[in-house]
Amino acid sequence: MNRIYMIGFMGCGKSAVGRRLSFLLKLPFYDMDKEIVRQTGKTIPEIFEEHGEEYFRELETQFLQNFKNDHCIISTGGGVTMRKANQKIMRNTGLVLFLDAPFREIWRRIHRDPNRPIVRQSTREEIEELHKARYRDYKQTAHITIRTEFRTLRQITQYASFQVKRLKGE
Ligand SMILES: Nc1ncnc2c1ncn2[C@@H]1O[C@H](COP(=O)(O)OP(=O)(O)O)[C@@H](O)[C@H]1O
Ligand SMILES: O=C(O)C1=C[C@@H](OP(=O)(O)O)[C@@H](O)[C@H](O)C1
Ligand SMILES: [Mg+2]
């Protein structure tokens, strides 16, 4: 299949860049978190509070296993690479783009956001540890790593588009 997946830590820009890239490449856009909210009728914090993180992880895997559309852009949630099965599905069904943002920038963007339950429950130090712990999985899963520091959303989107076309031989 011919999908484009955006991966990376919370706040690295997956949703924002994914949406812009979908306009640029004229492809439908899906945000996994939004799809899960739509399917369950619950917000992400509600799912975490009522059922726990493991249940949310299961919903992510089910989404990846059951999703049928091809030729589209999918922005994932920052924890999607925690499961090897998810890594495998993504690599086997599309191109995987990792948005690599510096932690201080990530923290600035996410620390006051009430919609990210993991941030709400943790200290800055804990989130920084999580960023470090996940970094290798992002790198290993991605076909392309894009460093976002000092780049605007527009520049990142254009660079992503260029890399996608290059890898597809267009
Ligand atoms: N390169 C960037 N420059 C400026 N703002 C950015 C950049 N990348 C992301 N943002 C902003 O940071 C916030 C978090 O981005 P978002 O796309 O929701 O991240 P993610 O989906 O990876 O968690 C949004 O308000 C977004 O517009
Ligand atoms: O990193 C994580 O474990 C999570 C990231 C979130 O998505 P974003 O990466 O879009 O913030 C969302 O899936 C959930 O809050 C858990
Ligand atoms: Mg997002």
Side-chain angles (χ1 to χ4, degrees):
M1 281 206 242
N2 242 313
R3 297 176 184 157
I4 297 168
Y5 293 96
M6 312 300 302
I7 68 165
F9 203 74
M10 290 174 272
C12 72
K14 302 177 296 292
S15 300
V17 174
R19 170 163 287 105
R20 281 169 175 77
L21 192 60
S22 85
F23 284 120
L24 197 62
L25 299 179
K26 300 189 171 58
L27 293 171
F29 173 65
Y30 300 92
D31 193 297
M32 264 177 70
D33 281 341
K34 290 228 169 78
E35 293 302 311
I36 289 172
V37 168
R38 199 171 54 78
Q39 284 170 10
T40 58
K42 292 180 198 288
T43 65
I44 303 289
E46 277 168 0
I47 298 171
F48 271 72
E49 267 159 40
E50 292 172 25
H51 304 280
E53 178 171 348
E54 212 32 47
Y55 181 82
F56 176 74
R57 299 299 167 207
E58 195 51 41
L59 294 178
E60 288 186 309
T61 301
Q62 278 174 22
F63 173 86
L64 286 173
Q65 285 173 343
N66 299 331
F67 194 65
K68 296 281 181 283
N69 299 8
D70 198 7
H71 296 288
C72 61
I73 301 186
I74 302 176
S75 288
T76 62
V80 79
T81 48
M82 287 169 72
R83 289 191 172 191
K84 288 270 176 286
N86 298 350
Q87 296 179 11
K88 211 165 160 186
I89 294 173
M90 291 191 290
R91 276 196 73 97
N92 289 339
T93 56
L95 269 181
V96 185
L97 271 60
F98 166 35
L99 297 182
D100 184 5
F103 181 75
R104 65 177 180 286
E105 186 60 30
I106 283 173
W107 181 252
R108 198 181 59 77
R109 291 182 197 150
I110 66 176
H111 76 283
R112 276 200 230 101
D113 187 342
N115 296 313
R116 290 178 170 95
I118 293 183
V119 178
R120 243 174 22 181
Q121 295 158 9
S122 320
T123 62
R124 178 185 166 125
E125 287 66 36
E126 285 164 344
I127 297 293
E128 190 161 13
E129 276 309 306
L130 189 63
H131 179 251
K132 276 198 197 122
R134 285 180 177 175
Y135 193 82
R136 212 172 58 145
D137 282 336
Y138 295 138
K139 280 296 257 192
Q140 283 178 352
T141 310
H143 295 102
I144 309 166
T145 297
I146 299 176
R147 296 190 58 170
T148 67
E149 197 175 13
F150 308 127
R151 286 180 164 148
T152 62
L153 284 169
R154 190 189 157 92
Q155 288 169 329
I156 295 160
T157 308
Q158 276 176 344
Y159 185 65
S161 160
F162 170 78
Q163 291 293 344
V164 166
K165 287 180 180 163
R166 188 180 65 81
L167 274 161
K168 287 188 174 172
E170 287 171 13

